[in-house]
Amino acid sequence: MALVVQKYGGTSVGTIEKIRNVARRVARTYDEGNDVVVIVSAMSGETNKLVALAEEMCEFPSEREYDVLVSTGEQVTIALLSMCLQDMGYKAKSYLGHQIPIITDSASSRARILEIGEENIREDLKNGTIVVVAGFQGVDAQGNITTLGRGGSDTSAVAVAAGLKADVCEIYTDVDGIYTTDPRIVPNASKLEKISYEEMLEMASLGAKVLQIRSVEFADKYNVVIHVRSSFNDNPGTLVMKEDADMETVLVSGVTCNKDEAKISVRGIPDKPGIAAGIFVPLSEANITVDMIIQNVSLDGFTDITFTVPKGDLKKAMKIVEGVLEDIGAKGVECDDKVAKISIIGVGMRSHSGVASKMFTTLSQEGINIQMISTSEIKVSCIIEDKYTELAVRVLHDAFELGSDD
Ligand code: ADP
Ligand code: ASP
Ligand code: MG
């Protein structure tokens, strides 16, 4: 007998019929002789509706009440799935985050899981009950409801699997696994049989929202193998696991895009110690995450600094930078939210050269201008004009021969 943790995302529980489909899959796993813990997301679109309601109610809703509101989508699906399983003759019981409890820190809307209470789950499993847990939510030490950030049910699932030392952690979604790029952009994208934690972490951070970044960090830390697969068929999916020797032979394993960043350029700054701190300290104090940063070589004692921030933080960031312009002696600041970040990822880059140059050549052949570049050991990212996003993904996918027919 194995302990199986399964997570079903929003599209897999988007209608009553789809919840019935999930119940049948869960029941089948149980009938095969396994203990089953199921984590579910809200029905697709529901969390977006809740976020929109909060925004309609006030400009800056209290963080505590925001989490109380947006966590409710999952309460609906755990109850419906448990009812359905009971109707089919199984013992099933739903749990909200605080009932498990899933203890988190107090960072509302981006809380981190600290501990999972095992007792209730173990007790239920012992008497043959299927345990159904609300994803995306937890409770802090003061008893406040918290949420884990968008896509957070993935992290709930991996954390529960790690906490219970489950034998299997399956993340069911609406595609068959992790692909070389978003299969909705490139229909001939290839499904990967396996991918290392490190590559998956880069892919998730660089725009592939198929897994929440933190779920991958968690899996890496606690050595949980994640099996990403479809809730609509029985095809084998993709294993997210420790790097092995085969993975290094692949030069590029994925292409991602991200349209959620905006670019800010501060012009004509006197080039002297302290100017970067003068800009980035106040941004970090305001909890704004800065991604790429480029400082130009100075010309006649003046330099420019360009960086990217999440689009949602652009207004706030511009206000802060405008506030420090005089202090740092800069001539001006401008921003552009019509940009996208295109990245190629692969652990094979560590041991092969020429990957970045091939990326630049490919983009230039399409007349796509590169505005910023950043690299790490296993990725290269370029900022380009956002209208070229899909084209760039397609031509890079082709250039690195990632298609299923290559
Ligand atoms: P769920 O509702 O199950 O959590 P998500 O919408 O969060 O599902 O994630 C699945 C989606 O991720 C897919 O429908 C796909 O469009 C998108 N996606 C982006 N990049 C990739 C990739 N490299 N491989 C697979 N799916 C990807
Ligand atoms: N329902 C939450 C969201 O839409 C969590 C999740 O689906 O993983 O972000
Ligand atoms: Mg998701």
Side-chain angles (χ1 to χ4, degrees), residues 206-283:
L206 295 169
K209 65 159 194 160
V210 54
L211 286 179
Q212 198 198 30
I213 302 168
R214 279 192 187 158
S215 69
V216 187
E217 286 170 354
F218 224 99
D220 188 7
K221 186 164 171 195
Y222 295 99
N223 210 4
V224 176
V225 175
I226 307 177
H227 188 182
V228 180
R229 52 195 310 196
S230 168
S231 61
F232 303 109
N233 61 47
D234 289 323
N235 299 342
T238 302
L239 299 176
V240 185
M241 54 188 274
K242 267 203 164 75
E243 185 176 330
D244 66 21
D246 304 350
M247 293 175 184
E248 289 223 3
T249 62
V250 184
L251 198 58
V252 170
S253 34
V255 180
T256 61
C257 58
N258 180 359
K259 293 186 188 172
D260 294 336
E261 286 182 23
K263 188 178 78 170
I264 297 182
S265 302
V266 189
R267 283 181 300 100
I269 322 166
D271 195 3
K272 57 177 193 218
I275 51 166
I279 298 172
F280 296 114
V281 170
L283 288 172

Side-chain angles (χ1 to χ4, degrees), residues 262-404:
K263 188 178 78 170
I264 297 182
S265 302
V266 189
R267 283 181 300 100
I269 322 166
D271 195 3
K272 57 177 193 218
I275 51 166
I279 298 172
F280 296 114
V281 170
L283 288 172
S284 87
E285 281 169 358
N287 271 327
I288 296 175
T289 323
V290 174
D291 181 27
M292 283 191 195
I293 302 177
I294 290 181
Q295 177 171 342
N296 285 355
V297 218
S298 77
L299 199 69
D300 301 328
F302 287 91
T303 186
D304 301 331
I305 293 183
T306 303
F307 57 94
T308 60
V309 296
K311 257 183 201 162
D313 287 335
L314 179 60
K315 263 198 210 153
K316 201 163 130 192
M318 280 298 282
K319 223 172 163 181
I320 291 172
V321 177
E322 278 159 2
V324 301
L325 281 186
E326 208 175 309
D327 288 351
I328 58 171
K331 294 204 175 87
V333 57
E334 56 222 31
C335 64
D336 181 358
D337 64 356
K338 302 233 165 343
V339 294
K341 182 164 68 177
I342 306 294
S343 311
I344 54 174
I345 297 126
V347 286
M349 278 183 214
R350 285 200 200 109
S351 43
H352 295 80
S353 58
V355 179
S357 58
K358 186 166 180 175
M359 178 180 194
F360 306 149
T361 311
T362 308
L363 293 175
S364 77
Q365 281 164 349
E366 297 298 322
I368 301 172
N369 185 41
I370 299 172
Q371 304 176 13
M372 296 172 84
I373 298 170
S374 84
T375 61
S376 80
E377 223 189 352
I378 66 159
K379 71 121 205 269
V380 185
S381 301
C382 297
I383 294 285
I384 62 169
E385 197 179 338
D386 66 353
K387 69 176 182 194
Y388 295 119
T389 310
E390 282 76 16
L391 173 65
V393 170
R394 262 185 248 121
V395 295
L396 289 170
H397 195 264
D398 269 359
F400 288 99
E401 296 175 14
L402 298 176
S404 51

Side-chain angles (χ1 to χ4, degrees), residues 7-12 41 44 151 154 171-175 177-184 200 203 207-211 255-256:
K7 176 257 172 177
Y8 292 90
T11 40
S12 303
S41 294
S44 56
D154 298 329
I171 302 237
Y172 285 92
T173 182
D174 58 350
V175 286
I178 311 291
Y179 283 75
T180 44
T181 194
D182 190 337
R184 290 180 207 290
M200 191 62 235
M203 278 180 74
K209 65 159 194 160
V210 54
L211 286 179
V255 180
T256 61

